């Protein structure tokens, strides 16, 4: 999709992890990227991890929003988020900040773990493209969330699952961009311009969700079972889980060759 993505991580003193990433979409503008990232209705189409979302409250003067998300994550149970989000333009750049919070209209659900603390910050701008005379949209993202899971396991999940998320994001953005430019459908635009807040629960294909969960969970389960024959500590689990991923990948490649 003519895009580049690079990410870095910073392990905090207590063990949690912050992530910094840079995404560049050729033949795109900062406004398109900003509207795409802030469109939760569009996110429902490309983000397979977003189980449901809705708007809780909005400030009509500033465009600041308070939102609820529930995400279906591989291996671990669902997590939900209550956060504020505000977007604004300063010069040629667009900025978005989100931060976790509590809200009386969305109390914690005992059956779903609330992500807290949580924060993200974006800076989006239009830059020269790879080809002279063209342009591209750049997004710098700083992100942190505490999912309340063992930190080594969380980092392994991000390392192995992020590429799939990025590919879906790129496809989702190009679809959003094409629809926006061709005016084939109405797109909402987050905190930058007015949007419709009507949303419905996403209908998911159980077969697809089950297949993705098994594809990730099987190597981890294999690592746990093998590690039980050794010391049983987390490092054994991680080591053998990686071996399990190699086994599954090799089996898929053999099937593809047949």
């Amino acid at each position: 999709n003519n895009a580049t993505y690079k990410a870095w991580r910073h392990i905090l003193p207590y063990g949690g992890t912050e992530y910094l990433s840079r995404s560049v979409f050729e033949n795109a503008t900062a406004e398109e990227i900003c509207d795409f990232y802030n469109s939760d209705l569009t996110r429902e189409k490309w983000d397979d991890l977003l189980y449901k979302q809705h708007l809780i409250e909005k400030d009509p003067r500033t465009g600041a929003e308070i939102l609820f998300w529930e995400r279906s994550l591989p291996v671990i149970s669902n997590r939900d988020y209550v956060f504020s989000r505000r977007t604004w333009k300063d010069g040629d750049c667009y900025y978005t900040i989100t931060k976790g919070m509590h809200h009386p209209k969305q109390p914690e659900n005992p059956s779903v773990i609330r992500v807290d603390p949580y924060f993200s910050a974006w800076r989006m701008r239009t830059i020269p493209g790879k080809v002279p005379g063209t342009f591209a949209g750049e997004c710098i993202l700083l992100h942190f969330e505490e999912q309340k899971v063992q930190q080594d396991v969380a980092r392994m999940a991000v390392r192995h699952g992020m590429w799939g998320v990025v590919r879906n994001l790129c496809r989702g953005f190009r679809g959003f961009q094409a629809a926006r430019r061709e005016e084939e459908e109405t797109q909402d635009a987050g905190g930058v311009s007015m949007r419709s807040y009507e949303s419905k629960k996403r209908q998911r294909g159980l077969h697809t969700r089950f297949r993705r969960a098994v594809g990730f969970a099987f190597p981890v389960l294999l690592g746990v079972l093998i590690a039980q024959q050794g010391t049983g500590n987390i490092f054994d689990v991680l080591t053998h889980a990686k071996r399990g991923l190699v086994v599954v990948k090799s089996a898929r490649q053999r099937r593809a060759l047949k």
Side-chain angles (χ1 to χ4, degrees):
N1 285 296
N2 211 10
T4 59
Y5 176 87
K6 189 173 183 179
W8 301 263
R9 72 182 186 187
H10 171 223
I11 299 178
L12 301 171
Y14 86 96
T17 309
E18 288 180 327
Y19 292 93
L20 176 68
S21 67
R22 179 178 185 261
S23 306
V24 177
F25 297 90
E26 297 295 323
N27 190 32
T29 66
E31 182 179 2
E32 288 175 330
I33 293 174
C34 182
D35 288 352
F36 170 73
Y37 276 117
N38 283 287
S39 172
D40 297 317
L41 302 182
T42 298
R43 180 177 287 271
E44 286 186 323
K45 300 176 183 178
W46 65 263
D47 188 351
D48 292 334
L49 302 182
L50 183 61
Y51 179 62
K52 57 184 176 182
Q53 62 83 20
H54 65 262
L55 177 77
I56 299 175
E57 192 175 332
K58 175 182 170 62
D59 182 348
R61 183 178 63 87
T62 65
E65 304 165 306
I66 301 176
L67 301 120
F68 169 82
W69 284 5
E70 182 176 338
R71 293 173 68 80
S72 177
L73 303 175
V75 181
I76 62 177
S77 61
N78 285 15
R79 300 293 193 267
D80 68 17
Y81 307 68
V82 173
F83 60 95
S84 60
R85 180 172 67 196
R86 185 175 179 183
T87 300
W88 70 96
K89 184 180 182 183
D90 186 2
D92 295 330
C93 296
Y94 291 84
Y95 297 89
T96 295
I97 291 180
T98 65
K99 188 176 186 301
M101 61 176 294
H102 299 279
H103 196 283
K105 292 183 179 180
Q106 197 71 51
E108 292 191 34
N109 182 347
S111 63
V112 181
I113 297 176
R114 175 68 48 86
V115 173
D116 183 39
Y118 164 78
F119 66 81
S120 284
W122 292 266
R123 186 199 69 184
M124 294 148 285
R125 61 178 181 166
T126 303
I127 62 174
K130 290 181 179 179
V131 178
T134 64
F135 57 90
E138 176 195 61
C139 177
I140 304 293
L141 167 65
L142 176 66
H143 180 86
F144 170 80
E145 61 181 79
E146 179 51 70
Q147 296 181 343
K148 299 180 175 63
V149 67
Q150 212 283 336
Q151 298 297 337
D152 288 334
V153 173
R155 282 191 284 271
M156 183 184 72
V158 170
R159 185 167 61 251
H160 290 288
M162 182 54 67
W163 181 233
V165 173
V166 171
R167 284 186 299 178
N168 286 342
L169 183 151
C170 291
R171 285 193 292 263
F173 173 71
R174 293 307 182 187
F176 173 90
Q177 184 185 49
R180 177 190 180 99
R181 291 182 175 183
E182 297 171 9
E183 298 182 350
E184 291 179 347
E185 63 183 19
T186 301
Q187 296 287 348
D188 62 314
V192 178
S193 59
M194 296 302 293
R195 54 173 264 187
S196 169
Y197 298 110
E198 292 298 324
S199 178
K200 61 182 180 179
K201 183 177 179 180
R202 185 177 186 178
Q203 300 298 320
R204 294 181 168 271
L206 294 178
H207 175 72
T208 300
R209 294 185 63 200
F210 177 76
R211 184 178 59 190
R212 288 176 178 166
V214 170
F216 185 90
F218 176 74
V220 176
L221 178 60
L222 181 61
V224 173
L225 294 175
I226 297 175
Q228 286 180 346
Q229 308 302 318
T231 62
N233 61 38
I234 185 61
F235 299 104
D236 276 340
V237 173
L238 292 174
T239 298
H240 293 299
K242 290 179 181 179
R243 293 176 181 174
L245 286 167
V246 172
V247 170
V248 172
K249 185 176 181 179
S250 299
R252 288 175 177 171
Q253 290 175 341
R254 288 196 298 270
R255 286 199 300 268
L257 293 173
K258 292 182 179 180

